[in-house]
Amino acid sequence: MLKYLLKRLGQAVVVVFLVTIVTFALLQSQPGGAARAALGKDATQEQLDAFDHENGYDRPIVEQYVTYIGKIAHGDFGYSYQHNQSVKTLLAVRLPRTIFLSLLSTVLALLIAVPLGVFQAVKRNKAPDYVITIGCLLAYSTPIFFAGLLLIVLFSQVWPILPGEAPQGQDLAVMWEQWDHLVLPVCALSIGTIAAYARYVRSSMVDNLNEQYVRTARAKGLSEVRVVFVHTLRNAMFPVITMIGLYIPAMFCGALVIETLFNFNGMGYLYWQATGRRDYPILLGVTLIVALATVVGALLADFLYAAADPRIRLAGRSK
């Protein structure tokens, strides 16, 4: 299994490397450049040229990229022109909040989607299955910003039982104390994930319920609850394990919209502000974090799958 995971790790490093190249090149090709974004519209050409020279933006793009990678290797993500702070400091404050929001949404999605998918599989091709399937398709196809707006209107305006704004605390402890402010952002971020997970669990459960080992377990006189939740669900969770890892970057991307919508001061909101102000160091830093999250998610899915399925470990040893 070690050889298999090392191979996947090598592929992940290549992916991150390619993402940084493409992102760096695209940002550098934007009209106006970093100098105009930092100095404003009234800056003279001499001031722009001096800024570019001081920060190395007048050098060939390949040299700029090599310098950038060297700084990243030493933990230097650059300096934000608009916030007058290092990007590393800004990310250190904002990233835990985004992780906290994404983690809560993932846990909520699993707690709802797994039982929902199991129920659908047991009641497959019956009225409850059809009703839940339609609901999941609607939830999955609804844009995340519209789902968030709908929740705000319903539960903060029509029935004012929950705050329409995310917690504004500076640390996670304060945010947790304002738990009622977390309800709507977490629900909005998890709606699409619940629908996706539920469909995967249902599909996997239906496939496994038709396997020979399930018929054997029933022939031995085991209760239906034991057959479904002990024997079938364990094997049906393999595809879901893979999805958990692959949905980590999707959660980060969804957090960008949710944080902006609910005024949640996390990494997604920081990225949205940097986009409007063309704050290139922040854009590059956040993009790198999302790329790493994608790689970590894929590696986590591979590791969990290999740990759960002996066939993966044996395949890794035979190669």
Side-chain angles (χ1 to χ4, degrees), residues 138-314:
L138 288 174
Y140 190 75
S141 60
T142 301
I144 190 170
F145 72 89
F146 182 77
L149 286 173
L150 191 61
L151 290 177
I152 292 174
V153 170
L154 289 178
F155 298 106
S156 184
Q157 302 297 323
V158 178
W159 300 296
I161 57 177
L162 290 170
E165 187 178 52
Q168 302 301 308
Q170 296 299 315
D171 54 57
L172 298 183
V174 175
M175 289 172 57
W176 187 252
E177 291 176 359
Q178 301 174 349
W179 62 268
D180 55 331
H181 290 258
L182 285 169
V183 174
L184 292 184
V186 170
C187 289
L189 186 56
S190 62
I191 286 176
T193 310
I194 291 173
Y197 284 173
R199 296 301 299 160
Y200 266 82
V201 172
R202 179 199 180 279
S203 178
S204 185
M205 282 290 296
V206 169
D207 291 340
N208 280 271
L209 285 172
N210 293 324
E211 293 291 336
Q212 182 65 41
Y213 75 89
V214 174
R215 290 192 289 269
T216 302
R218 286 170 174 161
K220 290 181 178 179
L222 298 180
S223 65
E224 189 66 17
V225 173
R226 184 175 179 83
V227 170
V228 171
F229 287 98
V230 177
H231 293 273
T232 311
L233 182 59
R234 178 181 177 183
N235 293 308
M237 286 299 292
F238 289 154
V240 180
I241 290 174
T242 304
M243 278 196 63
I244 293 173
L246 297 179
Y247 256 71
I248 290 178
M251 280 290 185
F252 270 85
C253 294
L256 188 152
V257 179
I258 294 301
E259 289 177 8
T260 304
L261 185 62
F262 288 92
N263 195 26
F264 188 88
N265 200 15
M267 193 179 70
Y269 189 60
L270 179 68
Y271 187 85
W272 178 78
Q273 291 178 319
T275 302
R277 298 169 179 174
R278 292 191 295 182
D279 200 335
Y280 294 152
I282 290 180
L283 295 176
L284 285 169
V286 174
T287 301
L288 182 61
I289 294 296
V290 174
L292 289 174
T294 304
V295 168
V296 170
L299 288 175
L300 180 63
D302 290 336
F303 177 77
L304 293 176
Y305 205 105
D309 193 344
R311 294 171 295 180
I312 300 296
R313 297 197 296 268
L314 292 175

Side-chain angles (χ1 to χ4, degrees), residues 79-136:
Y79 195 82
S80 170
Y81 317 126
Q82 302 295 333
H83 293 270
N84 290 322
Q85 283 183 283
S86 68
V87 177
K88 181 180 179 180
T89 301
L90 290 169
L91 291 178
V93 174
R94 309 291 184 93
L95 182 57
R97 300 174 185 173
T98 299
I99 294 176
F100 182 67
L101 177 64
S102 301
L103 183 62
L104 287 178
S105 301
T106 302
V107 171
L108 177 64
L110 288 172
L111 289 177
I112 296 177
V114 173
L116 199 63
V118 172
F119 178 75
Q120 281 189 269
V122 173
K123 300 292 185 179
R124 59 188 179 278
N125 300 325
K126 296 181 180 179
D129 181 29
Y130 295 139
V131 172
I132 296 175
T133 296
I134 293 173
C136 287

Side-chain angles (χ1 to χ4, degrees), residues 35-95:
R36 182 65 69 184
L39 300 179
K41 298 179 180 179
D42 298 328
T44 64
Q45 188 60 45
E46 289 76 13
Q47 291 173 323
L48 296 176
D49 293 339
F51 181 90
D52 287 339
H53 181 73
E54 181 181 354
N55 292 275
Y57 292 131
D58 56 347
R59 300 173 185 172
I61 191 170
V62 175
E63 184 178 346
Q64 292 184 47
Y65 177 75
V66 172
T67 302
Y68 173 72
I69 292 298
K71 290 181 179 180
I72 291 296
H74 292 86
D76 182 6
F77 290 87
Y79 195 82
S80 170
Y81 317 126
Q82 302 295 333
H83 293 270
N84 290 322
Q85 283 183 283
S86 68
V87 177
K88 181 180 179 180
T89 301
L90 290 169
L91 291 178
V93 174
R94 309 291 184 93
L95 182 57

Side-chain angles (χ1 to χ4, degrees), residues 12-25:
V13 172
V14 173
V15 170
V16 173
F17 179 69
L18 293 175
V19 167
T20 57
I21 291 177
V22 173
T23 305
F24 188 85

